[in-house]
Amino acid sequence: MGSLAQVTVLRIMPMSVNPLLGAIEAPPIAEAATWVSSTPRNRELINLCQAVPSYPPSPLLQDHLAEAVKQPGTGLYTDIAGLSELRRTLAASIAEDYRGDIGEFEVLISAGCNQAYCLVMLALAGNGDNVILPAPYYFNHQMWLAMLGIEVRCISAFNGAGTIPDAREAAAQIDDRTRAIVLVSPNNPTGAIFPSDAIAEFFELAKQKSIALVLDETYKDFRLRPEPPHGLFQRADWRDTFVQLYSFSKSYALAGYRVGSVIAGQALIAEIEKIMDCISISAARISQYGALFALQSLDSWKREKHRLMAERLHSLRTAFDRPRLKYELVSSGAYFAYVRHPFENMTAKAVAQRLAKEHDILCLPGSMFGPGQERYLRLAFANVEAQVMSEVVDRLEECQ
């Protein structure tokens, strides 16, 4: 009995990970946060990294949710596609805004607009298919397609008309495995608002090729002109081709509540419901209560915030109007500015890291938004007050 007990050493092998995931870079905003997490600074950081409102939800909405959470049914699921009253109210709201025709059963409520996009792409395309994205694109759109093994076919958003993609370039990319064209207007990352006739051209192309036109209109409520952004909902045949994505996050400062929507023909909504049931069953009921209250009661509050953002945009554009400034404001609108930096021999990421660590500005490099973007930076200017815009440009001038 004097022998030593045998010790068994278990060598734990790492589990395998989907190689499609392993090939994708870390989430850009989380990565950018690491650039400043341990950097000592003598002045306050100006955070232009993530597009979230700098103000809380309306006090009326906060009070409404405080009461709603006490109701016994608040902890229950809703129907997969969302609360009937919310779907009906949103359909009426969008139809009025766009002077179009939308019904309750053509609306699905999602847990944010990112989820809305993921649901739609999973319903439309699969491994080996391809989807057309204008570059610069919203990075989460590309990431999700890569996770599914869907090829991204880029077209340029830069042409003689500015930061507007051309449907003719998209036409040259379409083959028998193309399933959709995705547009974002007002655009993330450039802030550009696509003209209604350009959107109509993409619709006609998608209709001709029997593919979907998916339009992310998260920032539609921050457009500068009141007329409808496009006339697609006025067409009798929109349901065969068009899919709209929307978010309550920016318009009503509900980013953390995660509530958005898909508007599409009933046949596609029925397929998306199958996916939604497997992912989250439904968007959170409390979030849907908030969205419904916002649509019914917060029009004046939303208009006030629209004016606030317009003031910030004006202040930013004014601040960039300096004769010695080597940064070029290429495009701006809604929540974003897209800026050409002056360093020919530095990557966009190196420039962004230098600004973060040495000049106390946190922004994202254009390289996070697709190919051909090394000379650009994205500024999510809606995060800061109008009076700070001059300081933003002061710090850029320090680094040129």
Side-chain angles (χ1 to χ4, degrees):
M1 299 299 294
S3 63
L4 295 174
Q6 185 177 4
V7 177
T8 302
V9 178
L10 296 177
R11 190 179 300 275
I12 300 175
M13 299 298 294
M15 66 183 72
S16 61
V17 175
N18 180 345
L20 294 175
L21 283 175
I24 297 171
E25 297 291 335
I29 291 171
E31 179 186 349
T34 66
W35 303 341
V36 295
S37 59
S38 60
T39 302
R41 61 190 73 255
N42 297 318
R43 57 185 173 180
E44 185 176 355
L45 178 74
I46 299 178
N47 191 339
L48 304 173
C49 186
Q50 188 170 31
V52 292
S54 61
Y55 44 81
S58 161
L60 294 176
L61 178 55
Q62 293 176 354
D63 291 343
H64 175 77
L65 292 178
E67 289 301 315
V69 78
K70 300 175 185 177
Q71 303 304 313
T74 301
L76 301 177
Y77 300 126
T78 70
D79 291 341
I80 295 172
L83 292 168
S84 178
E85 187 177 5
L86 175 56
R87 297 169 70 192
R88 186 166 58 252
T89 303
L90 180 60
S93 175
I94 299 290
E96 179 181 9
D97 193 12
Y98 289 75
R99 302 171 194 165
D101 177 29
I102 305 166
E104 171 188 344
F105 298 104
E106 292 156 349
V107 178
L108 179 137
I109 303 302
S110 59
C113 195
N114 265 16
Q115 188 189 72
Y117 173 83
C118 294
L119 294 169
V120 169
M121 289 297 105
L122 193 55
L124 290 175
N127 188 292
D129 291 334
N130 66 76
V131 168
I132 295 173
L133 301 184
Y137 47 61
Y138 175 41
F139 48 74
N140 283 153
H141 286 177
Q142 179 274 335
M143 290 171 68
W144 181 245
L145 295 176
M147 291 175 191
L148 298 178
I150 298 170
E151 178 191 359
V152 171
R153 294 195 172 174
C154 287
I155 61 173
S156 175
F158 293 99
N159 56 45
T163 49
I164 307 299
D166 191 328
R168 292 170 296 181
E169 187 179 351
Q173 295 279 3
I174 295 173
D175 61 20
D176 60 358
R177 299 306 300 268
T178 306
R179 299 293 177 253
I181 302 168
V182 178
L183 303 178
V184 183
S185 181
N187 188 253
N188 179 2
T190 69
I193 296 175
F194 298 170
S196 60
D197 57 351
I199 294 173
E201 288 178 9
F202 277 100
F203 177 88
E204 293 296 343
L205 173 62
K207 178 183 176 183
Q208 176 191 350
K209 299 296 185 178
S210 298
I211 62 176
L213 173 63
V214 179
L215 180 57
D216 183 336
E217 297 194 86
T218 291
Y219 302 94
K220 76 175 184 65
D221 294 323
F222 299 96
R223 65 190 191 267
L224 296 178
R225 301 172 67 88
E227 62 263 21
H230 55 77
L232 300 189
F233 283 126
Q234 299 169 21
R235 299 181 56 127
D237 60 349
W238 73 261
R239 297 163 181 85
D240 299 330
T241 302
F242 181 52
V243 180
Q244 188 216 48
L245 312 179
Y246 177 64
S247 171
F248 293 85
S249 296
K250 310 306 188 295
S251 299
Y252 300 105
L254 288 171
Y257 284 85
R258 309 312 304 139
V259 56
S261 66
V262 178
I263 295 181
Q266 288 189 45
L268 182 59
I269 292 292
E271 299 305 313
I272 293 172
E273 284 189 69
K274 300 174 186 177
I275 307 168
M276 187 71 172
D277 187 49
C278 293
I279 294 176
S280 58
I281 301 180
S282 67
R285 182 181 288 264
I286 190 68
S287 302
Q288 295 190 54
Y289 283 162
L292 178 60
F293 180 85
L295 287 173
Q296 294 174 333
S297 306
L298 295 181
D299 275 355
S300 61
W301 185 90
K302 183 175 72 171
R303 286 194 296 270
E304 175 190 338
K305 299 308 179 186
H306 176 274
R307 287 191 294 269
L308 176 68
M309 289 303 172
E311 291 171 3
R312 293 181 183 182
L313 174 59
H314 176 74
S315 295
L316 179 86
R317 289 174 174 175
T318 301
F320 266 86
D321 188 17
R322 298 187 186 183
R324 294 187 301 275
L325 184 64
K326 296 181 181 179
Y327 292 82
E328 178 189 355
L329 185 61
V330 175
S331 181
S332 59
Y335 268 51
F336 303 107
Y338 211 53
V339 175
R340 183 179 173 90
H341 69 76
F343 302 100
E344 295 183 9
N345 299 318
M346 291 180 65
T347 65
K349 186 173 182 179
V351 175
Q353 289 176 325
R354 181 176 172 185
L355 286 169
K357 295 177 180 180
E358 301 177 18
H359 301 278
D360 306 299
I361 293 180
L362 186 62
C363 61
L364 293 184
S367 53
M368 290 180 169
F369 299 93
Q373 307 305 309
E374 286 291 359
R375 289 300 302 276
Y376 301 96
L377 304 168
R378 188 196 77 171
L379 311 183
F381 67 84
N383 299 348
V384 299
E385 307 296 328
Q387 60 268 24
V388 179
M389 301 306 174
S390 181
E391 175 66 16
V392 169
V393 178
D394 287 344
R395 296 188 189 187
L396 290 177
E397 278 193 314
E398 295 173 4
C399 180
Q400 65 176 26

